[in-house]
Amino acid sequence: MGSAPITLCEQDTNAYLREYYPLILRLAQRIQDGLPSRNAYDDLVQAGMLAAWACAGHHQRFAAPQEFVKLLAVRIRGAMLDLLREEDWAPRRLRKKNKSLEIGAAHCIQRLQRYPNDQELAEAMGWSVHELHQHWSEIGRAAPLYLEDVLPAHSELMDDTAQPHHRAERDEAKTFLTEAIAALSEEERTALSLYVLEELTLEDVAHVMGFKSKNTALKWVTQGITKCRAFLLAQGLDAESV
């Protein structure tokens, strides 16, 4: 059973928000970096501020400060991503097409016991390889696919008060996700590692990997994330329903 939230005075709350404002800005900039079609930075910052304010009285802030920072980053990022999902950046046609691709890739994984190569995936979808590559580019330009979507969408993801069954779902998803990432191509795995784990911007990922533009880095990140989603789907874990 979790501890009751701690009530703070307005002065303490303002000081708290100033303390974590740089974190909010950094997370907003990283997400904005993956949005080539529109500037949503100010809206992302606002969503992050509201999420941080809601966590001001969280007991971990005082009992376990380091764990609280992890929790807060998850809550802030989640609020920003929820904002983008609500606005439905990618056209429904494109989202539907990408979901079909994930399902097709999941069926290939179940049949082949490995990721399909581009030729195998294209044939399974009734597409040409060129059409498959066009789709990777199109979905990457329209809206980024967030790695958070392949983990259980519970706000208690990093919270020690999470319900046991939520923790079990999270741990199972993380195990499968580790396997999924290990099976990616070297380019996909490197791009995901730099972008997600080391939190580099897409420009920095492109520079490290020797690409001419961030669009190439976005392609590898998007392609890797879609494959991870397909892998989890093949294991019976739908990223949108777990």
Side-chain angles (χ1 to χ4, degrees), residues 107-125:
H107 289 162
C108 287
I109 291 169
Q110 291 172 332
R111 176 169 53 86
L112 301 172
Q113 295 300 300
R114 59 171 172 80
Y115 280 133
N117 59 39
D118 287 358
Q119 182 66 47
E120 292 166 335
L121 181 55
E123 289 178 358
M125 296 300 297

Side-chain angles (χ1 to χ4, degrees), residues 129-150:
V129 173
H130 176 68
E131 288 173 326
L132 176 63
H133 290 171
Q134 274 191 322
H135 174 74
W136 291 131
S137 298
E138 189 178 6
I139 191 67
R141 288 194 303 268
L145 299 173
Y146 301 104
L147 192 60
E148 286 84 349
D149 282 342
V150 304

Side-chain angles (χ1 to χ4, degrees), residues 159-174:
D159 195 339
D160 62 0
T161 64
Q163 295 297 316
H165 69 281
H166 286 177
R167 286 187 225 144
E169 290 175 350
R170 174 199 62 193
D171 293 343
E172 181 181 31
K174 282 188 174 181

Side-chain angles (χ1 to χ4, degrees), residues 76-87:
I76 292 172
R77 186 184 295 110
M80 292 176 179
L81 299 182
D82 284 345
L83 172 68
L84 297 182
R85 294 186 190 105
E86 288 172 5
E87 294 187 359

